[in-house]
Amino acid sequence: MSDQFDERKARASAWFRSLRDEIVAAFEALEDSHEGEGIPGRFEVTETTRASDDGSDAGGGLMSVMRSGKVFEKVGVNVSTVYGQLGAQAQKAMAARGVPGMDQDPRFWASGISLVAHMQNPHVPAVHMNTRMFWTPHAWWFGGGSDLNPCIEYAEDTAHFHDVQKAHLAPHGAGLYDELKAWADEYFYIPHRGRARGVGGIFMDDRNSGDWENDFALTQDIGRAFLPAFVPLVEKRRVQDWDDADKDTQLVHRGLYAEYNLVYDRGTKFGLATGHDANAVLMSLPPMAKWV
């Protein structure tokens, strides 16, 4: 399966990188077009590496973070391609999910993009997006999605975000949007708080229909949906006035995001367990949060 998938791995990795470049450019354009005070924010780009047990090349990627912009308080857009052998803990976790062959050959390859944006204006929603491909000698799959996390909710914003996702999923089959929306509602739920961390979106994991091309096309459309789903909300809400009470509401809500990512998020756990750059893995955490 390895030789068969070399070209597919390269295509997937290149796609995640191209999506990263498009999003970084769009976000810097939002900074340039905003008429508020301050200097437009720019991404700081750092190469990341994955630490292997034997010191061999294990891949890496780019961590792109913008801090203290006019629109974005903190936003990270990371892309990576990592490979090597899964440790015992990761093998056990994969086997528990039904991934075959973990006890025979623990090699893996994974590539993807991960994005989290925390905004200056409390009326502009925070957002998360990721898409990824995972390969082992005995299996492959895609995963990812995006979800909206407003601290001050607007029903029309939620409707727009979901409508764009639905439109991009429509070519891939009736009922798929409903399925992935329900999956997101379940996945991004915080049990110890008894609530979701936001207003949902779409999510999938372990996507292997048996047709790699179709599954890759679906993953690409999930990525393509992100900017048209999110950017119009930024453009509409970034000009609204806000006060200290609004900021306080935002900081408290961010606590939900931090709790979820540190306690439940599968990607965070996998990244730390497999030796990826900790700063890149924890890029999703907000710059400031508050608990009451």
Side-chain angles (χ1 to χ4, degrees):
M1 184 183 287
S2 178
D3 293 340
Q4 173 188 353
F5 267 80
D6 285 346
E7 183 267 343
R8 291 177 175 178
K9 290 176 186 176
R11 286 172 57 196
S13 181
W15 158 251
F16 298 134
R17 175 58 189 265
S18 68
L19 180 60
R20 174 261 177 207
D21 293 347
E22 182 181 0
I23 292 171
V24 164
F27 282 3
E28 290 189 344
L30 284 171
E31 287 286 319
D32 289 337
S33 65
H34 189 56
E35 297 181 355
E37 297 180 359
I39 300 172
R42 286 294 179 268
F43 282 94
E44 298 177 6
V45 181
T46 306
E47 291 189 3
T48 62
T49 59
R50 174 180 174 266
S52 63
D53 293 336
D54 60 4
S56 61
D57 180 23
L62 292 178
M63 176 174 65
S64 305
V65 181
M66 182 195 303
R67 299 177 178 87
S68 302
K70 295 196 295 182
V71 178
F72 297 92
E73 188 170 348
K74 179 187 176 185
V75 54
V77 187
N78 292 352
V79 66
S80 64
T81 299
V82 296
Y83 40 83
Q85 293 199 10
L86 293 170
Q89 181 181 353
Q91 289 179 47
K92 184 178 180 180
M94 290 295 174
R97 288 169 56 185
V99 178
M102 282 290 99
D103 57 342
Q104 303 167 34
D105 191 337
R107 287 179 297 154
F108 83 99
W109 177 97
S111 185
I113 178 174
S114 179
L115 176 156
V116 177
H118 299 287
M119 314 305 292
Q120 292 283 12
N121 190 322
H123 294 283
V124 182
V127 73
H128 156 261
M129 185 277 292
N130 77 81
T131 58
R132 58 192 177 274
M133 175 188 163
F134 201 97
W135 170 94
T136 75
H138 299 278
W140 59 265
W141 65 89
F142 290 95
S146 60
D147 64 297
L148 200 66
N149 297 270
C151 68
I152 301 171
E153 296 183 16
Y154 293 94
E156 61 269 34
D157 292 4
T158 300
H160 169 82
F161 189 80
H162 281 273
D163 286 347
V164 174
Q165 309 283 351
K166 187 174 183 178
H168 280 73
L169 292 184
H172 300 280
L176 183 60
Y177 164 77
D178 291 335
E179 175 188 342
L180 300 193
K181 178 184 181 299
W183 200 337
D185 290 341
E186 178 182 359
Y187 185 75
F188 295 114
Y189 185 78
I190 307 175
H192 68 270
R193 293 296 185 185
R195 59 157 295 172
R197 75 177 189 186
V199 294
I202 55 174
F203 179 78
M204 68 177 186
D205 210 352
D206 303 333
R207 176 77 182 190
N208 181 338
S209 68
D211 188 325
W212 188 90
E213 292 291 348
N214 283 348
D215 291 347
F216 182 39
L218 168 60
T219 303
Q220 290 176 296
D221 278 339
I222 289 174
R224 292 186 184 105
F226 173 73
L227 286 175
F230 180 61
V231 168
L233 306 183
V234 179
E235 292 174 331
K236 178 168 59 173
R237 300 295 174 191
R238 64 181 173 175
V239 297
Q240 287 188 230
D241 293 333
W242 55 273
D243 56 24
D244 289 344
D246 295 327
K247 197 66 177 179
D248 191 69
T249 298
Q250 182 190 54
L251 294 179
V252 171
H253 190 270
R254 283 179 178 174
L256 294 173
Y257 204 98
E259 289 176 18
Y260 178 87
N261 277 33
L262 291 174
V263 177
Y264 302 111
D265 186 73
R266 184 182 291 176
T268 301
K269 293 179 179 179
F270 178 82
L272 295 176
T274 55
H276 197 56
D277 187 295
N279 289 326
V281 175
L282 298 174
M283 168 274 296
S284 61
L285 295 179
M288 295 181 65
K290 181 177 180 179
W291 284 263
V292 295

